[in-house]
Amino acid sequence: MREAAFVKQNKDKWLTFENVLSNKTSITPEALSSLYIEITDHLSYAKTFYPNSNTEVYLNGLASSAHQKIYKTKKESKNRIITFFTQEFPLMFTQHHRELLVAFLVFALFVAIGAFSAANEGDFVRGFLGDGYVNMTLDNIEKGDPMGVYKEQGEFNMFLGITLNNIKVALMAFGYGILLGIGSLFIMMQNGIMLGSFQYFFYQEGLLWESARTIWIHGTIEISVIIIAGCAGLVLGNSMLFPGTYTRLESFKRGAVNGLKILMSTIPFFILAGFLEGFVTRHTEMPDWLAIFIISSSLAVILFYYVYYPIKLNKQKQQEILANNQTNKNQQ
């Protein structure tokens, strides 16, 4: 291709990138990343076919400016953690709501399978939860305190142990995503069957409401973020299965980073779930209205942060970008 034709074909992209670097135009982070990759590809092409030309000099300067702006060493903002949770993560997570839905549906399916299996196979609950746990719970029921298991340890020890165990489960749900996402679905299956058989066990004993009002005080957040960790694993797996326009390695890197961001977002919620289980769930004497309030508030927080807020924030950002671009066009 002649140099003039090469310039004519790509100059609009170069000008757009130049305007972004000078803050005259706003585009999405994904579009900026793709544009940067194209610019560097064009630079390589120009070095090969138009060495020492004005085109090579121009593209080299453009790529250098971009590299300095993106990668220059600077002190992290004091608000970096805050902006991660309020801006960076929610904006990124909107593109992974599909994986979240899949993780939830698989989990819900195996909850139903667990309950059905417990109802139709007499030894299923013992086989899955273990004789020790079932016998202990039956003893607590006879003593008139079916939820006594939550009072056996001290508050802080229980909080610490539960929090660390939940984070371990989340790490497994994410890490097993390396098995093309199948490992993450396996973790969803395990936990779903456990929950379904567990709840049916209490239903058989005539204690479904008593168990639900107690267990879901902490379980609402705990189960939700395990599903979200499963979503992170599916993001990792999908990055290998469906690389799109990227190389498989580049797609995997992006999937790993996004999956880790999703996993990081769950840590405060696991700590909160551990706190509720260690310090609050043990108070089985609390009135029903208070238990319902904690459960419904927990669910509202999860739905707001992982579903509603990312969609709302993404729409706002898109509107801002469109408004800025329209303003720039009017000024030109």
Side-chain angles (χ1 to χ4, degrees):
M1 183 187 298
R2 295 179 59 186
E3 182 179 356
F6 177 70
V7 172
K8 184 177 180 180
Q9 179 179 312
N10 297 293
K11 68 177 182 179
D12 289 341
K13 293 179 182 178
W14 303 342
L15 289 173
T16 298
F17 195 66
E18 191 173 349
N19 287 333
V20 170
L21 292 178
S22 59
N23 297 319
K24 293 180 180 179
T25 304
S26 298
I27 60 175
T28 64
E30 293 78 10
L32 177 59
S33 176
S34 298
L35 201 53
Y36 176 67
I37 292 171
E38 274 197 278
I39 295 296
T40 54
D41 287 344
H42 292 166
L43 175 59
S44 297
Y45 187 89
K47 283 183 176 180
T48 302
F49 295 101
Y50 321 119
N52 303 317
S53 65
N54 289 334
T55 302
E56 181 195 346
V57 172
Y58 170 75
L59 289 174
N60 189 58
L62 198 59
S64 297
S65 298
H67 189 276
Q68 290 174 7
K69 189 165 185 177
I70 294 171
Y71 297 106
K72 66 181 180 180
T73 303
K74 61 179 180 180
K75 187 177 180 180
E76 287 285 355
S77 167
K78 294 179 180 178
N79 297 324
R80 179 69 177 84
I81 295 177
I82 295 174
T83 56
F84 171 79
F85 284 102
T86 60
Q87 299 289 323
E88 181 180 341
F89 168 74
L91 283 172
M92 179 276 295
F93 194 60
T94 51
Q95 61 188 292
H96 297 304
H97 276 169
R98 181 180 60 182
E99 287 92 338
L100 177 62
L101 178 61
V102 170
F104 169 75
L105 291 176
V106 170
F107 184 87
L109 172 64
F110 283 104
V111 168
I113 290 174
F116 179 81
S117 300
N120 290 276
E121 178 59 51
D123 294 330
F124 183 81
V125 174
R126 287 184 175 275
F128 208 87
L129 299 180
D131 286 330
Y133 181 83
V134 172
N135 291 335
M136 176 191 64
T137 303
L138 289 174
D139 287 342
N140 287 336
I141 291 173
E142 288 181 8
K143 294 174 185 177
D145 190 11
M147 298 293 109
V149 65
Y150 295 106
K151 305 172 186 177
E152 291 190 347
Q153 296 184 49
E155 286 95 337
F156 182 77
N157 288 339
M158 191 169 190
F159 157 68
L160 186 61
I162 290 296
T163 300
L164 292 176
N165 182 70
N166 288 340
I167 291 175
K168 175 185 173 183
V169 173
L171 286 170
M172 291 171 61
F174 168 64
Y176 284 4
I178 197 74
L179 302 175
L180 303 180
I182 297 173
S184 300
L185 295 179
F186 176 75
I187 298 296
M188 295 300 98
M189 179 193 74
Q190 269 191 326
N191 285 272
I193 291 176
M194 185 182 298
L195 177 61
S197 59
F198 180 78
Q199 287 284 215
Y200 190 84
F201 169 68
F202 282 102
Y203 168 75
Q204 275 186 319
E205 300 298 323
L207 293 166
L208 180 61
W209 170 245
E210 177 68 20
S211 66
R213 71 179 289 281
T214 302
I215 295 164
W216 288 96
I217 285 174
H218 64 270
T220 302
I221 292 179
E222 181 181 290
I223 295 299
S224 296
V225 288
I226 286 175
I227 293 171
I228 291 161
C231 163
L234 291 179
V235 169
L236 180 62
N238 284 349
S239 70
M240 294 181 285
L241 287 172
F242 310 109
T245 58
Y246 300 107
T247 64
R248 203 168 295 275
L249 178 60
E250 180 63 24
S251 178
F252 172 73
K253 290 178 181 178
R254 290 169 177 266
V257 169
N258 285 354
L260 281 171
K261 286 180 179 179
I262 296 171
L263 194 65
M264 286 176 59
S265 78
T266 66
I267 292 176
F269 291 101
F270 274 126
I271 294 172
L272 178 57
F275 172 82
L276 289 172
E277 187 165 358
F279 291 90
V280 181
T281 300
R282 65 180 56 241
H283 295 289
T284 55
E285 75 283 356
M286 76 170 63
D288 286 351
W289 68 264
L290 181 55
I292 293 171
F293 174 76
I294 295 172
I295 292 168
S296 57
S297 297
S298 297
L299 181 60
V301 168
I302 291 293
L303 290 176
F304 173 81
Y305 186 67
Y306 284 99
V307 180
Y308 174 76
Y309 181 62
I311 293 174
K312 181 174 181 290
L313 188 63
N314 187 61
K315 287 182 178 179
Q316 287 179 345
K317 290 296 182 182
Q318 293 296 335
Q319 290 171 355
E320 289 176 8
I321 290 171
L322 289 173
N324 288 338
N325 289 342
Q326 187 61 46
T327 302
N328 291 331
K329 285 181 181 180
N330 293 338
Q331 290 175 349
Q332 290 175 357

